[in-house]
């Protein structure tokens, strides 16, 4: 069954614009940094960071997919050696250590590749004592966002906010206790999939990510005092 037309999101750009109003309290604040979870979170986060006039950067996270069903997350990894396991998924889809380690190694390689391709020589922003807004294009199991939260917390920010356009109530509530604020305007009882709530959920490419990041970073660099 399709979601009502007044709830469905046109695309990730529209999803980002939908998050702006609930985040207006963070506009024009130099201590605020929006961290996108690539790839799909980047177009969403770009709209938010641009509208709020705050910094944009990345927090690299990779889902650990069950080998026989890769869209089903058995956990996630994030920059800094953070690893989150979905115990319920692992009970439903038992996997031996060799196979599990192979998935972790593969996703770690991809995480490092993306870090190099997206960021190049640009130094990550310092998160200590900053207000961090973590953004993705939606929540499913929440494993990736939990990994992102723990990775961000390791850098001692003053506040962690999660903002996503869509996610199931149980996942939203499970994550809410982990952060200072969580914003999720669409919380369907039956998620089906994140893409089910978008008219256009085509895959975000590396080229799109790089273009948006460089556009945002060019504005920030121009705004920096000499």
């Amino acid at each position: 069954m399709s979601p009502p037309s007044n709830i469905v999101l046109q695309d990730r750009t529209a999803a980002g614009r939908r998050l702006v109003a609930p985040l207006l309290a963070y506009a024009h604040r130099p201590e605020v940094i929006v961290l996108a979870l690539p790839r799909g979170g980047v177009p969403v986060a770009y709209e938010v960071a641009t509208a709020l006039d705050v910094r944009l950067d990345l927090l690299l996270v990779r889902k650990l997919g069950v080998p026989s069903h890769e869209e089903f997350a058995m956990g996630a990894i994030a920059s800094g050696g953070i690893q989150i396991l979905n115990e319920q998924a692992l009970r439903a889809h038992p996997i031996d250590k060799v196979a599990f380690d192979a998935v972790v190694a593969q996703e770690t390689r991809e995480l490092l590749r993306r870090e190099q391709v997206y960021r190049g020589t640009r130094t990550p922003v310092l998160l200590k004592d900053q207000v961090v807004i973590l953004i993705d294009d939606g929540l499913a199991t929440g494993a990736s966002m939990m990994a992102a939260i723990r990775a961000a917390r390791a850098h001692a920010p003053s506040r962690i906010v999660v903002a996503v356009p869509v996610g199931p109530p149980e996942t939203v509530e499970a994550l809410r206790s982990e952060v200072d604020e969580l914003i999720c305007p669409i919380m369907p009882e039956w998620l089906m999939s994140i893409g089910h709530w978008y008219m256009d959920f085509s895959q975000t490419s590396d080229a799109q990510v790089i273009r948006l990041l460089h556009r945002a970073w060019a504005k920030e660099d121009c705004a920096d005092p000499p």
Side-chain angles (χ1 to χ4, degrees), residues 47-222:
E47 294 300 319
V48 173
T50 300
L52 299 184
D53 188 28
V54 297
R55 292 168 293 162
L56 175 66
D57 211 290
L58 302 171
L59 203 159
L60 276 291
V61 177
R62 289 295 294 168
K63 178 176 65 179
L64 301 175
V66 175
S68 58
H69 185 31
E70 293 183 0
E71 289 304 308
F72 197 74
M74 59 181 177
I77 58 172
S79 301
I82 302 296
Q83 184 180 105
I84 301 296
L85 298 182
N86 182 339
E87 300 294 348
Q88 183 178 358
L90 288 168
R91 285 194 297 271
H93 301 272
I95 177 173
D96 62 64
K97 187 176 186 304
V98 172
F100 179 84
D101 288 348
V103 172
V104 172
Q106 175 182 320
E107 297 303 336
T108 299
R109 287 192 296 271
E110 176 61 13
L111 187 150
L112 294 173
R113 183 197 72 83
R114 291 188 179 193
E115 183 82 41
Q116 176 59 40
V117 169
Y118 299 160
R119 191 183 300 285
T121 59
R122 190 179 182 90
T123 305
V125 295
L126 297 177
L127 302 183
K128 182 175 173 57
D129 298 328
Q130 304 298 287
V131 175
V132 170
I133 303 176
L134 296 168
I135 292 184
D136 204 354
D137 55 13
L139 295 173
T141 66
S144 294
M145 186 58 76
M146 180 62 78
I149 292 167
R150 294 191 182 176
R153 185 177 293 129
H155 295 274
S158 64
R159 184 176 181 83
I160 298 178
V161 178
V162 167
V164 292
V166 59
E170 62 272 18
T171 300
V172 170
E173 293 310 312
L175 288 175
R176 195 182 299 278
S177 62
E178 299 288 333
V179 296
D180 298 288
E181 184 178 359
L182 195 152
I183 292 165
C184 183
I186 302 173
M187 291 192 289
E189 288 297 331
W190 296 98
L191 180 72
M192 299 288 287
S193 68
I194 295 171
H196 185 68
W197 295 85
Y198 283 81
M199 292 181 66
D200 177 4
F201 199 64
S202 52
Q203 188 176 66
T204 305
S205 68
D206 282 348
Q208 288 174 291
V209 169
I210 293 166
R211 183 173 68 253
L212 292 174
L213 289 175
H214 286 192
R215 188 182 299 168
W217 291 340
K219 292 178 185 176
E220 292 171 19
D221 293 343
C222 289

